[in-house]
Each structure stands twice: as C-alpha cells, then as structure tokens.
Amino acid sequence: MEANRKEKLVLWFSELGIEDVPLVGGKSASLGEMYQHLSSKGVKIPNGFAITARAYHYLLEANNAKQPIKDLLDGLDSSDVLDLTVRGSKVRNLIKSLEFPEDLVKEIIEAYHTLSQQYSEENTDTAVRSSATAEDLPDASFAGQQETYLNVHGVPSLLESCKKCFASLFTDRAISYREQKGFDHFTIGLSICVQKMVRSDRACSGVMFSLDTESGFQDMVFITAAYGLGENVVQGTVNPDEYYVFKPTLKQNDTEGTNFRPIVSTLVGSKDKRMIYDIGGNKLTKNIPVPLELQRMLCLTDDEVLLLAKWACIVEDHYSQKAGTLKPMDMEWAKDGNSNELFLVQARPETVHSQTNASILKNYVLGDTSSSKVLVRGHSVGQRIGSGKICIVNDVKQIADFIPGTVLVTEMTDPDWAPVMSKAAAIITNSGGRTCHAAIVSRELGIPCVVGTGNGTDLLQDVDTVTVDCSAGSEG
C-alpha cells in the first residue's frame, strides 16, 4: 500500500499528513495535517489536493529532460547574477516546453472537477502553489522561491499554472538558495498544492506567528493584516496592521472558563492598496487603491483577532506535541468576503528563533550618536546594527548593479532579490511590514533591516554612507 502511494500522482488533503513531506512538500503536507487533525478543533482549512513530487519527476522522465537541465547548469557560478539569470531562464523555458503525460493530465482534471463539485461550482477558483520537497524545513526557509498563482479557474488555466509551477523550481533565487545551502537540484522535487480560493479579495488576509518575530518571546501571537489577497502582505507591497495577543491569558479562557480579551497592542498600517481578482482582464489579479477612510481603520475586529490567535495556539500545540518539542509556527490566514469566515491557508515552522540557542543572549549597542542625524525611520527587523555605503536599486532587473557589502535600499524585495540580499550590509525598504519577504529573509540571514520607511529611496538619494540601527526596539 505504501509503495503504491509513493507512485501516486495526485493525493487529497484528507490523505496527507506532515510525514508526507517527501511526497508532496512542506506546504501540502502541512495543509493535509491540519485538514485531517485540526478541523475537528474548529480550525478552518479550505479543501484541496496535491499534485505529487512523483508527478514532477515523471514529467522530466517522460520527456528525457534531466540531462539537458544538468548540462545547462554545469559550471554555474551562482554568485554571478548575469550567469544565473541566463541559465535559469533557459532551464525554465525547457521545462515549460515539456509535454504532460496523458495519465497525469487525466488525474489533474478529475481532481479539479471533484473539487469544483464539492463547492457546487462548474470551474471553481483555486490557488495553485508550489510545494518543494525540501521546503519549509525548520532550518531552511524557501520563503516563496517558487511561484504561486491565484484565481486560477478552468482546466486550461490550471494546467498552464501547473507547468509554470514545475518550471519555478529553477527560478534564479531557488537555484541560488540551493547552491548556498548545499541542496542537490535533482534530489529536490516539486509538488503543487491546488486549494480552493478564499475570497479575501473582498475582505482581508495576512500572516501570523506564534511568537514575537523580533525578540523570539514565546508567549505572544503576532498577526499582520491588510485588505485583499495575501500576496501584498507576503511580498511587502503594503504596510499592514499589526496585532499582539498574549497567549497564556488566551489559553486561560479555555482552561478556566474566563473571558479575557488579551490583545496587548494594535497598530494601524497604511494598507494603501488591495489585491483583487482581475475579472475580465488579462491577468488573474490586480491591485486597486484603498480609500483613505479604510486605510485609517483596522481591518480585523477584536473577535477575529482573538479567533486567529486561538488557532495559532492550536496549531503550535499540535505540531509541538507531534515533534516532542516546542514548535513555533509561521501561518497565513484569509477572510472570505462572501461568508465572513476566517481560514488558515498555510502553516510552516518558524525558522529563526526556533534555531537559536536560548542560553546565549546577544545585545547590540550603538555608540555615541550625538553628532548623527536620523535620516529615515521604519519597522526594525532583528536587533543588529549594520553600516555601509548606500546602494539604491529601484528594480529587480537592475540587481546586477548591486555592490556587495553596501546597504541595499529599494521599494520592496520579493524572492527574486534573494541572490543579492545575502551580500548586503543592511537592507532598507519603502514598504512592507515585519512579516514581509524582506523581513523574513533578513531575519534568517542575520542582516539588519528596516522596512516600511515610506520614502527611503528618495530621502537617501544623495547620502553616501549610513548606519542601520535595529537595536533600540520596534523602530529602526
């Protein structure tokens, strides 16, 4: 039975658990784990299925594609951004040109039609997300290195998105990351998670951690939220709302029947844009401006914040019990604007503080600043201090111009920036919150980072050298 299961091309969430990472990657395995074990505890997970890593290897084998890919990557210098760009593009184009075997196409179509029927729709809208088989491991965050496609509906669109997902195992950032971490390009596979979309384009979504992301304090749930689909929060194109909830008092409500509401703090973010479905357009999603009155409001009610925090505790407790040790978690959530229900759409282990030796305390202190002038302010990420010459890079197409050892200043980063982020003395972005891509990767790399400065690229235009200080609290 187990041997047969390893050959399956499609597996439903109801068939998956966290031990299935080798078959379907971290994302799909975790969704299956929660769908099976936490739905009964009130945690809502939209249903879906995984196109397995076996399907990915089958695609390469059926087209004799492995050797040509190896040839394209032979002699790669991943630190050479131009070399990486040229070779990565050739590999992705090769994979996108491959023909899907007929039996694989048949199984994907059957699963999609079954999912559509479950939601009483002819062609239901789905999120199509990559799920690498070495992704979301406790000591390695793949932080969105492969692609995600939202509002995918209909068989042709689904198959096209699947092919792009498979090709995205060889994005420039993914190739670079595997080279740095010592992962073999061909022992890693890629599964695809096809999940019913939550209509958060009509409500809000965000990210939450079952600890404080900066200090590692384990008694706090940290939640970020913004209007529309969650990609804006993850990518850092908006400055989201922030909420802190104290876990011990929240858990006391369940154990002692109390009704405390331990929201410790809230912060209104600017949330100036909302990602929605692009109905009738030539893209699947688009951004629209958010009216000023909505920008000035928190987008979650207190009851919703407390429910999400409760789910964060349930998820952390479940994974901790399963692992036999504390497992802080990093989760993505979405609110459906049609039903007003909340859902969890992703959960993975937190990758920074869970790997830190708690018996060692490091404290960073900035020297005499009496003759210094504050140039920009934003949310500090981590607690370190960095200094260097300014290097403003306005577009990812210009990352080859980045000078290693300088302070990277840009609008925002997404996973395409990964090859240069590790070479920066510090990072400053105009937009983004503490759970965006720039923050997560900087935290993992141990690089001081200030996000959400608003206009750092303008204010630092004529500045030569800066010190980036994240040692003095939440503001950097």
Side-chain angles (χ1 to χ4, degrees):
M1 176 71 178
E2 186 62 28
N4 180 48
R5 195 163 177 271
K6 288 180 179 177
E7 293 302 311
K8 285 203 169 185
L9 303 177
V10 169
L11 288 166
W12 287 86
F13 288 175
S14 58
E15 301 176 276
L16 294 170
I18 198 60
E19 63 281 354
D20 291 314
V21 170
L23 300 182
V24 296
K27 198 169 282 123
S28 297
S30 187
L31 284 166
E33 180 76 19
M34 293 191 295
Y35 189 85
Q36 280 205 71
H37 300 289
L38 301 185
S39 296
S40 60
K41 296 184 179 181
V43 179
K44 293 182 179 177
I45 314 291
N47 197 14
F49 58 90
I51 300 165
T52 65
R54 174 65 199 136
Y56 162 75
H57 290 297
Y58 179 35
L59 173 67
L60 297 190
E61 290 161 8
N63 289 271
N64 297 310
K66 284 193 177 181
Q67 191 57 49
I69 293 172
K70 286 181 180 178
D71 293 343
L72 285 170
L73 294 175
D74 186 40
L76 168 70
D77 176 6
S78 64
S79 64
D80 182 336
V81 174
L82 289 176
D83 187 34
L84 181 63
T85 301
V86 171
R87 291 175 188 250
S89 176
K90 286 180 178 178
V91 174
R92 291 191 298 277
N93 287 335
L94 188 156
I95 294 174
K96 283 188 277 191
S97 71
L98 302 180
E99 285 294 322
F100 273 17
E102 284 186 21
D103 52 343
L104 175 57
V105 171
K106 182 171 179 285
E107 289 206 35
I108 293 172
I109 291 174
E110 284 179 358
Y112 176 66
H113 285 157
T114 299
L115 185 66
S116 296
Q117 287 165 10
Q118 285 181 10
Y119 288 94
S120 303
E121 295 173 355
E122 184 178 352
N123 289 305
T124 195
D125 48 342
T126 59
V128 180
R129 303 179 187 273
S130 59
S131 183
T133 55
E135 184 181 29
D136 299 337
L137 302 182
D139 59 346
S141 168
F142 280 60
Q145 285 168 20
Q146 285 81 45
E147 299 297 342
T148 288
Y149 299 94
L150 304 178
N151 184 26
V152 177
H153 53 275
V155 168
S157 183
L158 175 60
L159 293 175
E160 178 67 20
S161 297
C162 287
K163 195 169 280 193
K164 289 178 181 176
C165 273
F166 282 142
S168 76
L169 189 58
F170 289 91
T171 57
D172 300 347
R173 68 238 188 195
I175 295 169
S176 172
Y177 187 88
R178 288 197 294 271
E179 293 275 334
Q180 289 173 18
K181 290 284 185 179
F183 288 114
D184 182 85
H185 293 297
F186 293 95
T187 56
I188 290 176
L190 189 127
S191 167
I192 298 171
C193 173
V194 181
Q195 186 178 30
K196 168 64 181 170
M197 277 286 291
V198 176
R199 292 303 302 265
S200 56
D201 60 310
R202 296 177 173 175
C204 56
S205 56
V207 175
M208 65 176 172
F209 284 78
S210 63
L211 47 56
D212 175 36
T213 53
E214 305 317 312
S215 67
F217 182 52
Q218 294 170 354
D219 284 341
M220 207 67 75
V221 174
F222 177 53
I223 302 170
T224 58
Y227 298 115
L229 300 172
E231 295 304 293
N232 280 343
V233 177
V234 174
Q235 292 172 1
T237 56
V238 295
N239 297 332
D241 297 337
E242 295 183 357
Y243 310 82
Y244 282 96
V245 181
F246 190 57
K247 282 154 62 176
T249 307
L250 186 67
K251 290 182 176 182
Q252 190 179 326
N253 288 343
D254 286 332
T255 57
E256 299 181 18
T258 52
N259 192 30
F260 295 121
R261 301 169 71 78
I263 300 173
V264 176
S265 70
T266 61
L267 178 70
V268 179
S270 57
K271 311 181 296 296
D272 59 348
K273 62 182 72 134
R274 174 200 295 257
M275 185 179 285
I276 63 168
Y277 284 14
D278 188 12
I279 306 296
N282 59 2
K283 293 186 176 180
L284 300 174
T285 60
K286 65 179 180 181
N287 275 309
I288 60 171
V290 173
L292 197 57
E293 62 270 22
L294 288 180
Q295 292 182 37
R296 292 171 176 168
M297 295 169 56
L298 291 167
C299 55
L300 286 173
T301 66
D302 285 359
D303 285 344
E304 289 168 338
V305 170
L306 292 169
L307 178 59
L308 285 173
K310 180 179 178 180
W311 287 358
C313 293
I314 291 171
V315 172
E316 181 184 71
D317 289 347
H318 175 80
Y319 280 91
S320 298
Q321 187 176 7
K322 192 129 188 169
T325 185
L326 181 66
K327 276 275 183 233
M329 298 297 289
D330 166 3
M331 293 148 279
E332 293 180 25
W333 61 270
K335 179 181 177 182
D336 193 294
N338 293 338
S339 66
N340 285 324
E341 293 177 293
L342 291 166
F343 294 88
L344 284 191
V345 295
Q346 200 168 316
R348 55 189 164 245
E350 189 272 342
T351 57
V352 177
H353 296 290
S354 59
Q355 305 299 310
T356 303
N357 187 339
S359 65
I360 299 174
L361 177 64
K362 291 183 180 179
N363 194 29
Y364 298 86
V365 180
L366 192 61
D368 182 18
T369 59
S370 57
S371 61
S372 302
K373 176 185 174 185
V374 175
L375 302 173
V376 294
R377 300 177 188 270
H379 301 298
S380 63
V381 176
Q383 300 171 339
R384 300 192 179 201
I385 301 168
S387 181
K389 288 184 175 293
I390 287 288
C391 186
I392 297 175
V393 184
N394 289 310
D395 191 280
V396 70
K397 294 173 184 173
Q398 302 165 345
I399 62 171
D401 299 334
F402 176 74
I403 302 166
T406 59
V407 175
L408 173 63
V409 183
T410 187
E411 174 63 32
M412 51 157 260
T413 72
D414 62 24
D416 289 322
W417 292 79
V420 300
M421 292 177 74
S422 60
K423 302 171 186 174
I427 296 170
I428 299 169
T429 70
N430 289 351
S431 61
R434 283 185 233 278
T435 57
C436 72
H437 176 267
I440 289 171
V441 173
S442 297
R443 210 176 281 124
E444 185 180 279
L445 293 171
I447 295 173
C449 175
V450 176
V451 297
T453 62
N455 53 355
T457 50
D458 294 331
L459 293 175
L460 299 175
Q461 197 74 241
D462 300 318
V463 177
D464 181 62
T465 302
V466 295
T467 297
V468 177
D469 179 20
C470 298
S471 68
S474 61
E475 187 177 65

